[in-house]
Every structure is written in C-alpha cells, then in structure tokens.
C-alpha cells in the first residue's frame, strides 16, 4: 500500500498539513484505510502541535 501525501493546505498558524486523503474508513484495528492514522491520532490531530504531528506522520509511515 502506498501512502499518499497530504492534500489539504495547512490552516493559518499550522505548519504541518493533515495527511487526510478523504478516504475515511477504519479497519478492524481502528486505523484509517485512507491516511493510516489511528482513531486516537485522528482525534488528537486538531489540538496537536507541529512536533506531535510530525511524530504522527512518522507513525503513519511506519504503518505503510
């Protein structure tokens, strides 16, 4: 499986864009089949700082 890059531009004041590719379905392990984030990571994203977002993106890459 290939993880596609982010499609959304960062909002004002946000340096790390969401990896969401608008394929929002969770598998049995609660991992999104589109962006490969866990349900917890998706829920955390909007309040996470850039360093945490970069860690989440590293987690996504490791799941690919």
């Amino acid at each position: 499986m290939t993880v596609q890059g982010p499609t959304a531009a960062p909002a004002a004041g946000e340096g790390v864009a969401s990896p969401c590719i608008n394929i929002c379905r969770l598998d049995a392990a609660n991992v999104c089949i589109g962006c490969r984030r866990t349900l917890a990571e998706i829920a955390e994203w909007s309040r996470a700082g850039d360093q945490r977002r970069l860690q989440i993106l590293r987690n996504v890459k490791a799941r690919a």
Side-chain angles (χ1 to χ4, degrees):
M1 173 182 209
T2 301
V3 176
Q4 297 177 355
T7 59
E14 296 178 8
V16 180
S18 171
C20 180
I21 60 170
N22 296 318
I23 302 174
C24 305
R25 283 188 220 105
L26 299 176
D27 65 13
N30 282 329
V31 174
C32 177
I33 65 169
C35 68
R36 304 302 300 160
R37 290 180 292 172
T38 65
L39 183 58
E41 290 167 341
I42 294 167
E44 178 184 5
W45 188 266
S46 65
R47 65 184 184 281
D50 284 348
Q51 291 304 312
R52 176 61 182 140
R53 288 180 177 194
L54 290 172
Q55 179 60 54
I56 291 170
L57 292 178
R58 286 189 290 272
N59 296 346
V60 165
K61 186 174 182 177
R63 286 185 199 108

